[in-house]
Amino acid sequence: MSFFITASDGAYALTKAGMISIIILIVVAIVVAAIIAGYKQQTSGFTTKSLAVAGISLALAFVTSFIKFELPMGGSVTLFSMFFICYVGYLYGSAVGFITAFAYSLLAFIQSGSTYFLSPFQTCCDYFFAFTALGLAGLWFKKKHGLVIGYIVAVLVRGLFHTIGGYIYWMDYMPDWFREHHLASFYSIIYNYSYILAEMAITLIVINIPAVKKALMKIAQEATSDSKLSVHSTQKTASES
């Protein structure tokens, strides 16, 4: 086990071999899931265009995650990084959405340094469960107001996983102010949702600007033009979002 993971003071750290092994396993899992989704997802599966759009969105999400504004209490608001992942699910459905979101969770884990963690469950709450939850937006594929509703639900569930992890593993980092004002029970909720809701609110304002909304509708039309959706259906769905 020490070849892949080392332990010290109740925490764990991945060795270089451990990091490589995890990356290989997750990449294999993504490929297998993509193949399965291609067979099972009848409404909008993986095509050359959907893979390209998912890849571009994944890259945009990763790059914009570095452009962030730190909040006084902790956490940061990024430049719409969550939206790019949710948008993939909105365009192509839950199968493509979840696989893209899972790939993003891997990138987020690597971006964080990915060498120090308290337990496998803590890592899942902070990264794999939390960011993969953004794929929930795909459940509102082809639904009325699907882009907005799917984005809100996905972001809130991401926050829920961070909050659970916070209560279990990170309460020792709570500022004394919360204890003094008898707010200890709310610390993880306030901490995690402060930056998540801030980014969500800003994103919802931006995507509902008429010019941006029109651009998103045009992108949706082009991105799904080779799927089984008709152009008329895509335009109707996008305009209703």
Side-chain angles (χ1 to χ4, degrees):
M1 181 65 72
S2 60
F3 182 72
F4 298 100
I5 300 174
T6 59
S8 177
D9 297 327
Y12 300 88
L14 288 174
T15 63
K16 185 175 181 180
M19 271 300 304
I20 294 173
S21 298
I22 284 180
I23 292 173
I24 292 174
L25 287 173
I26 294 179
V27 169
V28 170
I30 291 172
V31 171
V32 171
I35 294 172
I36 295 173
Y39 283 110
K40 291 188 174 182
Q41 179 117 345
Q42 299 299 320
T43 53
S44 182
F46 276 97
T47 64
T48 301
K49 180 172 285 189
S50 65
L51 284 171
V53 172
I56 292 171
S57 299
L58 192 60
L60 286 171
F62 187 62
V63 170
T64 54
S65 69
F66 286 94
I67 306 172
K68 52 191 176 183
F69 309 93
E70 301 290 340
L71 297 184
M73 202 181 94
S76 57
V77 177
T78 71
L79 190 64
F80 316 124
S81 63
M82 293 188 293
F83 172 75
F84 292 111
I85 302 301
C86 293
Y87 194 49
V88 174
Y90 166 71
L91 292 175
Y92 300 112
S94 58
V96 180
F98 274 120
I99 292 170
T100 304
F102 184 61
Y104 184 61
S105 74
L106 170 61
L107 292 177
F109 180 59
I110 295 173
Q111 180 188 20
S112 71
S114 57
T115 57
Y116 176 86
F117 58 93
L118 300 177
S119 76
F121 186 68
Q122 173 264 318
T123 304
C124 287
C125 283
D126 286 347
Y127 299 101
F128 302 128
F129 291 164
F131 289 101
T132 301
L134 297 177
L136 286 169
L139 297 177
W140 279 265
F141 165 66
K142 295 180 64 178
K143 302 289 179 64
K144 185 176 182 181
H145 307 302
L147 179 58
V148 171
I149 297 174
Y151 175 75
I152 291 174
V153 172
V155 169
L156 292 178
V157 175
R158 176 200 161 180
L160 176 62
F161 283 117
H162 286 310
T163 299
I164 292 172
Y167 276 121
I168 298 174
Y169 298 103
W170 304 111
M171 293 298 283
D172 289 342
Y173 293 87
M174 178 174 54
D176 292 336
W177 184 89
F178 282 85
R179 293 188 178 91
E180 294 169 358
H181 291 79
H182 307 290
L183 294 173
S185 298
F186 300 98
Y187 169 66
S188 187
I189 297 173
I190 295 172
Y191 172 83
N192 287 291
Y193 278 104
S194 62
Y195 63 89
I196 285 176
L197 291 179
E199 181 171 334
M200 183 180 77
I202 295 171
T203 301
L204 290 175
I205 291 171
V206 171
I207 66 175
N208 279 288
I209 295 173
V212 175
K213 194 172 184 178
K214 184 177 180 180
L216 291 175
M217 181 179 68
K218 180 64 175 178
I219 293 171
Q221 177 184 340
E222 293 296 328
T224 59
S225 61
D226 63 345
S227 71
K228 295 182 181 180
L229 289 175
S230 66
V231 172
H232 174 73
S233 175
T234 304
Q235 289 176 322
K236 181 180 178 180
T237 303
S239 64
E240 288 174 341
S241 68

